[in-house]
Amino acid sequence: MKKNLIHFLSSIFPNLFVSIAYKQLTTPLVHKYRAHEIKSLAKSKQKDFAFEKFTIKTYQWGSGSKSVLLIHGWEGQAGNFADLIEVLVENNFTVYAFDGPGHGASSLGETSLFKFSDLVGALIKKHNINNLVSHSFGGVATSVFLGNNPQITIDRYVLFTTPNKFEDRIQFVADRVGISKKVTTRLINKIEKEEGIEVSKMNVAEYAQKSGVKKALILHDTNDRVLSVNQSKQVSEFWENSTLEEVTGTGHYRILRTKSILNRAVEFLNA
């Protein structure tokens, strides 16, 4: 009933509901940290990194001969990788991570896929990174940067799930708010005007295949209820340097805490 009312009101007051949906799309929620995440973050070397109007919290673990940058998902933070960080340090990696703009311990504020993507690029350059690991939306931000900068070579890239079409993310927010199709079209027009892009062309598959990634491994649970494995299938189908391995029993978030999956990811990075 409530959604039907919002759908009706959005047709009468389209500009108001476009603003509401746009705010949801650009203002991430900051979630409570788990105990093991707090413990992992406390072991890191932490520095603030100035990026545009944000103060970004960055982290480093270990001092191994190989380096890797971890890119968390939307409404996530570096601590989400706590279990993986432990395995990576054991395998002689220097591990870098960060809290995205408006995420975790970084300064809050309106952000976007494109700010997130630019930050990923800045940190890849800062630390001379050639190995990457991302989770969910982190794969979108990373692929956009790499596709726009194909001269940057990445040896190995592990994606723990990945969306494909940016349009799907917009539709997800539109459905959550309950706005009409007409208002969703206005929302897309606003995004295209604000960011200077064409939303229909914002697909991970297209950016990834233009990137300088030598080899990529996509890991995705067949029963992921947050992000369908079909998204990763679409990306892998068009990205010839990638391999998709479907897993079971982990879901969207527990995939980052499942020992056998983490070992597979590190095995790939070490190959």
Side-chain angles (χ1 to χ4, degrees):
M1 182 67 181
K2 183 182 177 182
K3 227 171 189 183
N4 289 338
L5 178 60
I6 291 173
H7 190 278
F8 172 70
L9 290 174
S10 72
S11 298
I12 301 174
F13 307 106
N15 290 339
L16 171 62
F17 282 88
V18 164
S19 296
I20 292 171
Y22 187 78
K23 187 172 179 63
Q24 287 224 3
L25 197 63
T26 58
T27 309
L29 297 174
V30 178
H31 296 285
K32 187 177 179 181
Y33 288 74
R34 296 182 177 90
H36 77 287
E37 293 175 339
I38 295 171
K39 186 176 179 181
S40 177
L41 294 172
K43 294 178 182 178
S44 68
K45 296 177 182 177
Q46 301 183 17
K47 290 184 179 179
D48 288 339
F49 178 69
F51 173 75
E52 295 187 5
K53 65 177 182 180
F54 296 94
T55 299
I56 300 297
K57 183 66 70 178
T58 67
Y59 308 87
Q60 179 186 334
W61 294 263
S63 55
S65 60
K66 300 164 287 186
S67 64
V68 60
L69 177 67
L70 311 181
I71 305 104
H72 66 77
W74 187 258
E75 298 185 345
Q77 37 80 21
N80 296 159
F81 292 105
D83 296 84
L84 176 61
I85 290 163
E86 190 175 322
V87 182
L88 286 167
V89 171
E90 288 172 359
N91 279 267
N92 197 34
F93 279 89
T94 299
V95 183
Y96 297 97
F98 63 95
D99 295 337
H103 291 71
S106 293
S107 55
L108 302 181
E110 189 178 280
T111 187
S112 70
L113 158 64
F114 309 98
K115 287 186 177 68
F116 207 116
S117 180
D118 288 344
L119 173 61
V120 171
L123 292 175
I124 287 174
K125 293 173 182 176
K126 176 179 172 62
H127 298 297
N128 195 27
I129 297 293
N130 51 21
N131 295 292
L132 300 170
V133 176
S134 64
H135 179 234
S136 194
F137 168 85
V140 184
T142 305
S143 298
V144 168
F145 170 75
L146 294 175
N148 284 331
N149 297 272
Q151 76 281 4
I152 292 179
T153 300
I154 300 296
D155 292 333
R156 300 267 162 164
Y157 180 12
V158 176
L159 299 89
F160 287 97
T161 82
T162 181
N164 183 26
K165 297 181 179 180
F166 185 41
E167 276 182 311
D168 290 345
R169 168 64 183 164
I170 295 170
Q171 190 59 54
F172 173 81
V173 171
D175 291 342
R176 186 165 66 180
V177 175
I179 58 178
S180 66
K181 286 185 179 180
K182 181 180 177 181
V183 178
T184 302
T185 299
R186 287 200 183 196
L187 173 61
I188 290 172
N189 291 339
K190 178 177 175 64
I191 293 167
E192 291 183 333
K193 184 178 178 181
E194 294 280 342
E195 303 292 348
I197 59 156
E198 192 172 337
V199 164
S200 64
K201 293 183 178 179
M202 297 297 296
N203 303 324
V204 169
E206 293 187 31
Y207 282 98
Q209 66 184 348
K210 292 188 293 184
S211 72
V213 175
K214 294 179 182 177
K215 287 195 176 181
L217 173 65
I218 306 172
L219 297 163
H220 203 135
D221 195 297
T222 56
N223 297 311
D224 189 327
R225 294 182 180 179
V226 176
L227 186 66
S228 170
V229 70
N230 290 331
Q231 297 278 310
S232 285
K233 286 179 179 178
Q234 291 168 13
V235 174
S236 181
E237 182 181 350
F238 288 97
W239 188 9
E240 72 174 44
N241 290 351
S242 72
T243 301
L244 170 62
E245 293 183 12
E246 297 180 39
V247 302
T248 58
T250 71
H252 188 70
Y253 299 103
R254 208 162 5 104
I255 196 169
L256 294 179
R257 304 193 297 275
T258 303
K259 189 74 171 179
S260 61
I261 307 301
L262 301 183
N263 286 341
R264 174 67 187 109
V266 175
E267 176 188 43
F268 175 79
L269 291 172
N270 272 329

